[in-house]
Amino acid sequence: MTTTVVSPDERTSSRFRLAGLAHYGVVWTTLGLFVLLWLTSDVFLTGANLRNIVDQQSLIVIAGSAMTLTLISGNFDISVSATLINSSIATALVFNATGSAVAAMAVGLAVGAAFGMVNGLVVARLNINSFIATLSTSFVFFGIGFLLSDRSIIRITDRDFSDIARGRDLILTNASWVAVVVVLVFWFLLDRTRFGRHLFAAGGNPEAARLGGVRVERVVITTFVLTGAAAGLAGAFLASRTLTAQPSDDFSFVFSVLTAVIIGGTSIAGGEGAVWRTVVGAFFIALLTNGFNIHQIDPIIQRLVQGSVILAAVAADNWSRNRGRST
Amino acid sequence: MSSIIECRGLTKRFGGTVALDSVTAAVTAGTVHALVGENGAGKSTLGKVLAGVHQPDDGGVFVDGQQVQLRSPRDALSMGIAMVAQELSLVPARSVMDNVFLGQEPTRRGVLDTGRARRRFTELATRYEIDLDPTVRVDSLSVAQQQRVEILRGLARDARVLIMDEPTARLSRTESDALLTSLKALTEQGVTVVYVSHFLDEVLELSDNVTVMRNGQVIRSGPTADEDRTSLVEGITGSRMDAAYPARATVADDATVVLRLNNLSRSGEFEDVSLEVKAGEIVTLAGLVGSGRTEVARVVFGANESSSGTMELAGRPYKPSAPHQAIAADVGMIPESRRTEGLLMQRPVSDNVSLPHLRRFSKTGVVDGTRERREVSTATDNVQLTGATIATPMFGLSGGNQQKSLFARWMIDPPKLLLADEPTRGVDVGSKRAIYDLMVEMAEQGMAILAISSEIDEVLGISNRIIVMREGRVVGELDGASATDSELMALAFGLDEATQGDRESLNE
């Protein structure tokens, strides 16, 4: 590089150092937790336990990778739970009707993408705050789920269908491998493509992005479609894993996903974040839960700790934002 | 006569710039005192120091002969000084009365005493002849009425001095006349009004005393009766030194017209704007803030749509409906506010520079990082971006370097037309010169540049031609090399018949 470096003043450099430390904070904390569990438990570092942890987090990681993009674009997608449920119902129905696993999984994914498109259009075209928009569409989607399933649990009778999610190759389950691929795809999309750059720009400063030639509306819609598709894929794997699909209006999945994204350090203010962060966030929560279970700690305490950790993560984000960027 | 406020040797610095340079002035009780000067002359800063918004680095403020420390607007208010800001600070969804008594609501044992509030409101409104319905929501009022709410709020706090920053800038003619009448009425009730304005007619008509400022210094301060328009303009502009500007771009005789606007209008913003910019030419849109200059540029860039009229780019009809279309048609823009409209502050320099050119650097949507870094580095070297690498986050750069990054953006795949809105705003003197050099260099390479500037020196220093706008219309055109500041000011302010005669001959 030919640009010369003039030394910034002391205050600036220490600010960069602090921000840098906070930058990888979640990684050190997760590694620390890993070592702690390794030292305090015999069962933690066994193949079966680790495989379980990864498998349990796979659906959250699949949806979370995409949700990271939504947050970077400056939006939320609360409807991920409803999409997951509908896709699992659609997958189960199609598989029972056709016996084709490929068709069933493809329909699950497509239903998610279609729901995502609805969200994207509502947010970008009608200009409705994404939190409110996707909360509203959630209820609509939940309703569709009850209609699709005729308000009953759908059982998949062919037990071989569960191999799609539960089958194992090279140590990990298929669902885990799919999660790995999804992470890599979104990582690449965010870091290496024009779409990724436009996404950071649109989330960081929509007006500057627009004046820089970014079609902000289109970027936002694409992000919602991708998030819907990822939630749909997760729903299809859920159907395979459980061999059932049932309608409900349970929001818990989206909150697990959001928790992973936010603890990872992707900013809820938009314009900043990374897919690897969400992966680390998901495993931080998984290790915490696993540790509590191994050490048989009261589930109520788990809730208290988990809530506090989310607050701490957001507070740390605010802190580094105010420190580092208020120039 | 007794002076209610006096400042002695006030100095205020913002970073490296001296906004107030040892300012000494006195305001007589019960008068209207005007502060005039160019943008950046320090008049608003002085107003804000008196209102406790800014604290001076040196010197003192005296109220009724006693030195006071005004550490906050609250301190100033306790001394009876209230500010009516340019950007009003009311709560839109609450009623007029709620806003007037905000923060000091009359209560009885902690419960709001509506009856007393209403009586006090009526009393204030009658005494100061301000006619407002206390029950309506503030957001249903016009700007002029909101201003009255703000004035009343100051008076409800027993303010004896009202500081107003450009109070008429956002008002229509009749509204400002009404405001000026009521300010006059206030002084009859013993209130003192300090008001910052660049509308010289108003100042001459309304004020009792006037303080003329230039470059942070007081040029003179005295009775308005001793001034006329010419003396004010001279005082405001002074005898200018020939600032450090590069030689003007030379425009070839056969240069093609790059941009042509034919009677372009956008309702409510500007009307019937026709102009031409040739290849290699720097044309500056001059005029007061709010005269419609930025609005024209935004339409040319596709950020807003025109309501009538046509545009031509390089001889072809041109009508972008979004900025990405303008960029594809080879038009670039450096927006008015780099922070809110130009830059992604958390992203590295490189992302900011390459943003509009990603298609050029990518194959099937995948960005070729090596090529991007190479071209961005060349561009940042061209603009002499020093003290940072292309990987430095934008928030780590000085204002000058941030602005240079925006110029670097258009060094890659240079557009035919560059719109540069306030190209040197908030930039230190050294970077200013560097930016002027860049603009001339870009023009010499055949780019057409349509600049917008509020700094008269800059307008006179860099332009080949100057187009002056006032109230949404083009009011005249001047030759950059021969124009003088008083000609420019006369057009921008809309001065008297004699100058108008000159202007017409210039237009021929």
Side-chain angles (χ1 to χ4, degrees):
Chain A
M1 197 102 53
T2 46
T3 38
T4 44
V5 177
V6 172
S7 72
D9 66 71
E10 193 52 38
R11 205 167 55 91
T12 316
S13 73
S14 74
R15 192 166 60 213
F16 280 131
R17 247 193 331 266
L18 283 170
L21 211 73
H23 194 74
Y24 294 107
V26 65
V27 178
W28 308 130
T29 320
T30 308
L31 283 177
L33 192 57
F34 188 92
V35 172
L36 185 73
L37 290 176
W38 178 14
L39 295 177
T40 57
S41 159
D42 301 334
V43 289
F44 174 69
L45 206 66
T46 58
N49 187 46
L50 293 182
R51 179 162 51 237
N52 256 332
I53 292 177
V54 176
D55 185 58
Q56 275 163 13
Q57 292 310 100
S58 58
L59 303 189
I60 287 175
V61 166
I62 290 172
S65 303
M67 183 72 99
T68 310
L69 271 59
T70 310
L71 261 74
I72 291 173
S73 81
N75 292 294
F76 277 101
D77 187 350
I78 302 301
S79 74
V80 160
S81 284
T83 304
L84 175 94
I85 287 164
N86 274 287
S87 289
S88 74
I89 292 170
T91 300
L93 288 174
V94 170
F95 185 72
N96 281 348
T98 66
S100 159
V102 175
M105 299 300 284
V107 167
L109 183 90
V111 164
F115 282 21
M117 177 65 97
V118 171
N119 286 326
L121 291 173
V122 169
V123 171
R125 289 280 152 80
L126 303 184
N127 215 357
I128 296 176
N129 171 287
S130 61
F131 187 92
I132 304 300
T134 56
L135 185 66
S136 314
T137 57
S138 288
F139 291 113
V140 175
F141 296 164
F142 282 136
I144 293 175
F146 283 101
L147 293 175
L148 268 182
S149 61
D150 203 13
R151 298 174 205 193
S152 56
I153 298 179
I154 298 157
R155 289 176 207 289
I156 297 171
T157 40
D158 183 349
R159 304 197 67 82
D160 290 346
F161 187 65
S162 73
D163 286 349
I164 290 178
R166 289 175 174 256
R168 273 200 232 157
D169 261 308
L170 302 167
I171 312 161
L172 296 178
T173 61
N174 290 341
S176 304
W177 282 116
V178 168
V180 170
V181 172
V182 168
V183 165
L184 292 177
V185 166
F186 280 112
W187 194 332
F188 183 81
L189 206 56
L190 201 52
D191 270 26
R192 292 275 179 274
T193 68
R194 198 162 68 218
F195 169 72
R197 292 294 186 81
H198 285 182
L199 186 64
F200 276 114
N205 186 343
E207 183 60 8
R210 196 169 82 95
L211 294 179
V214 177
R215 286 184 245 187
V216 175
E217 218 176 78
R218 209 163 77 162
V219 170
V220 169
I221 294 173
T222 309
T223 310
F224 275 99
V225 171
L226 290 173
T227 305
L233 189 65
F237 275 93
L238 182 66
S240 162
R241 183 194 278 169
T242 57
L243 288 175
T244 59
Q246 79 179 98
S248 79
D249 39 20
D250 175 5
F251 275 107
S252 56
F253 181 70
V254 71
F255 290 117
S256 306
V257 171
L258 275 175
T259 306
V261 179
I262 291 166
I263 285 186
T266 291
S267 163
I268 53 168
E272 279 176 289
V275 173
W276 65 261
R277 293 189 163 279
T278 300
V279 176
V280 176
F283 283 103
F284 178 80
I285 294 292
L287 292 182
L288 206 60
T289 314
N290 191 246
F292 284 134
N293 291 341
I294 288 173
H295 292 294
Q296 296 180 329
I297 291 167
D298 189 341
I300 295 168
I301 302 288
Q302 294 187 26
R303 288 186 168 85
L304 296 180
V305 172
Q306 197 174 329
S308 313
V309 165
I310 299 173
L311 284 180
V314 176
D317 176 53
N318 279 345
W319 179 81
S320 71
R321 184 175 301 278
N322 292 337
R323 285 276 155 158
R325 280 140 223 160
S326 61
T327 44
Chain B
M1 281 216 272
S2 65
S3 50
I4 186 162
I5 300 184
E6 215 185 317
C7 33
R8 291 185 202 151
L10 277 188
T11 299
K12 175 72 190 170
R13 293 179 204 90
F14 292 109
T17 44
V18 182
L20 292 180
D21 187 358
S22 173
V23 165
T24 297
V27 177
T28 311
T31 61
V32 176
H33 192 113
L35 299 176
V36 298
E38 284 179 9
N39 296 328
K43 54 192 198 302
S44 289
T45 311
L46 180 57
K48 284 181 180 160
V49 168
L50 296 181
V53 177
H54 293 319
Q55 283 67 51
D57 297 315
D58 209 354
V61 177
F62 296 77
V63 175
D64 296 328
Q66 302 287 315
Q67 182 159 12
V68 293
Q69 300 290 329
L70 305 174
R71 287 190 197 81
S72 65
R74 181 178 278 268
D75 279 359
L77 206 50
S78 72
M79 302 304 311
I81 305 170
M83 176 136 190
V84 177
Q86 207 167 359
E87 303 298 324
L88 300 172
S89 56
L90 300 169
V91 187
R94 306 297 300 171
S95 74
V96 167
M97 197 163 78
D98 288 353
N99 272 283
V100 167
F101 295 116
L102 189 71
Q104 47 145 34
E105 293 82 356
T107 54
R108 194 165 46 199
R109 285 187 229 100
V111 181
L112 288 178
D113 186 345
T114 335
R116 192 146 64 91
R118 196 175 285 268
R119 280 194 301 279
R120 175 122 169 80
F121 184 92
T122 319
E123 183 190 306
L124 285 167
T126 324
R127 179 164 163 210
Y128 295 110
E129 298 168 42
I130 294 177
D131 186 25
L132 280 170
D133 179 352
T135 58
V136 301
R137 275 167 57 131
V138 159
D139 54 7
S140 70
L141 300 177
S142 68
V143 175
Q145 289 170 312
Q146 293 185 6
Q147 221 165 31
R148 279 148 199 258
V149 178
E150 190 119 1
I151 292 172
L152 211 50
R153 179 198 271 183
L155 297 172
R157 287 165 168 73
D158 300 318
R160 298 174 296 151
V161 181
L162 287 178
I163 296 178
M164 307 190 76
D165 194 356
E166 303 282 3
T168 58
R170 292 162 64 209
L171 303 185
S172 73
R173 187 71 214 211
T174 35
E175 284 174 331
S176 34
D177 286 349
L179 176 73
L180 299 178
T181 316
S182 58
L183 289 184
K184 205 74 193 164
L186 287 179
T187 58
E188 278 155 26
Q189 295 289 325
V191 176
T192 308
V193 178
V194 174
Y195 109 109
V196 175
S197 181
H198 56 219
F199 296 106
L200 301 183
D201 286 337
E202 265 175 37
V203 168
L204 288 166
E205 198 180 307
L206 173 76
S207 68
D208 302 301
N209 294 301
V210 59
T211 296
V212 180
M213 297 189 69
R214 186 167 72 226
N215 297 331
Q217 293 174 328
V218 169
I219 298 305
R220 61 174 177 272
S221 192
T224 311
D226 296 351
E227 302 274 352
D228 60 21
R229 211 180 274 116
T230 320
S231 70
L232 282 181
V233 169
E234 275 170 15
I236 289 168
T237 55
S239 53
R240 279 161 206 291
M241 290 173 294
D242 211 347
Y245 291 98
R248 265 169 242 273
T250 43
V251 187
D253 292 336
D254 58 347
T256 53
V257 173
V258 174
L259 177 74
R260 177 176 283 135
L261 308 183
N262 305 311
N263 302 100
L264 196 70
S265 304
R266 177 171 157 85
S267 7
E269 292 187 346
F270 59 88
E271 265 177 275
D272 272 340
V273 171
S274 299
L275 57 85
E276 277 182 11
V277 188
K278 293 195 187 113
E281 191 181 29
I282 300 180
V283 174
T284 308
L285 282 179
L288 302 177
V289 173
S291 57
R293 304 166 303 168
T294 297
E295 290 75 7
V296 171
R298 285 179 65 89
V299 167
V300 174
F301 197 58
N304 291 330
E305 283 186 58
S306 59
S307 50
S308 67
T310 57
M311 297 186 264
E312 282 169 50
L313 188 72
R316 292 204 167 137
Y318 165 73
K319 194 173 196 303
S321 59
H324 70 88
Q325 291 178 359
I327 293 167
D330 263 344
V331 177
M333 177 155 93
I334 291 171
E336 184 177 17
S337 159
R338 62 175 167 268
R339 267 175 171 279
T340 60
E341 304 168 329
L343 297 169
L344 311 165
M345 299 307 287
Q346 311 100 310
R347 306 300 296 169
V349 170
S350 149
D351 283 24
N352 276 281
V353 172
S354 67
L355 185 66
H357 310 291
L358 288 172
R359 192 169 290 276
R360 175 188 170 93
F361 299 131
S362 49
K363 261 195 206 108
T364 57
V366 181
V367 177
D368 176 352
T370 317
R371 186 165 167 211
E372 181 192 16
R373 278 191 295 279
R374 192 175 61 231
E375 296 207 19
V376 169
S377 295
T378 313
T380 51
D381 286 349
N382 278 341
V383 300
Q384 296 171 342
L385 188 77
T386 50
T389 72
I390 61 169
T392 313
M394 197 46 83
F395 64 78
L397 267 60
S398 70
N401 274 340
Q402 289 177 355
Q403 197 70 10
K404 284 183 187 172
S405 306
L406 282 176
F407 273 91
R409 183 182 271 185
W410 303 113
M411 298 298 270
I412 297 173
D413 196 8
K416 288 195 196 90
L417 170 71
L418 180 68
L419 306 161
D421 197 348
E422 303 290 359
T424 63
R425 173 174 290 177
V427 159
D428 58 287
V429 181
S431 299
K432 270 190 181 178
R433 174 64 204 250
I435 287 172
Y436 299 140
D437 287 345
L438 274 173
M439 290 173 72
V440 170
E441 187 188 316
M442 285 165 132
E444 294 286 356
Q445 284 162 11
M447 196 185 283
I449 299 181
L450 182 62
I452 293 172
S453 174
S454 300
E455 290 187 42
I456 293 182
D457 275 340
E458 178 171 297
V459 173
L460 297 172
I462 58 167
S463 320
N464 294 110
R465 277 188 297 131
I466 303 164
I467 293 173
V468 188
M469 290 187 72
R470 176 159 41 88
E471 292 166 9
R473 289 175 176 276
V474 172
V475 290
E477 185 178 319
L478 302 167
D479 175 62
S482 66
T484 64
D485 43 14
S486 31
E487 281 177 324
L488 182 54
M489 295 280 280
L491 283 173
F493 284 109
L495 293 192
D496 56 30
E497 305 296 329
T499 12
Q500 258 174 17
D502 290 343
R503 181 208 310 169
E504 254 132 44
S505 64
L506 279 162
N507 270 349
E508 294 311 312

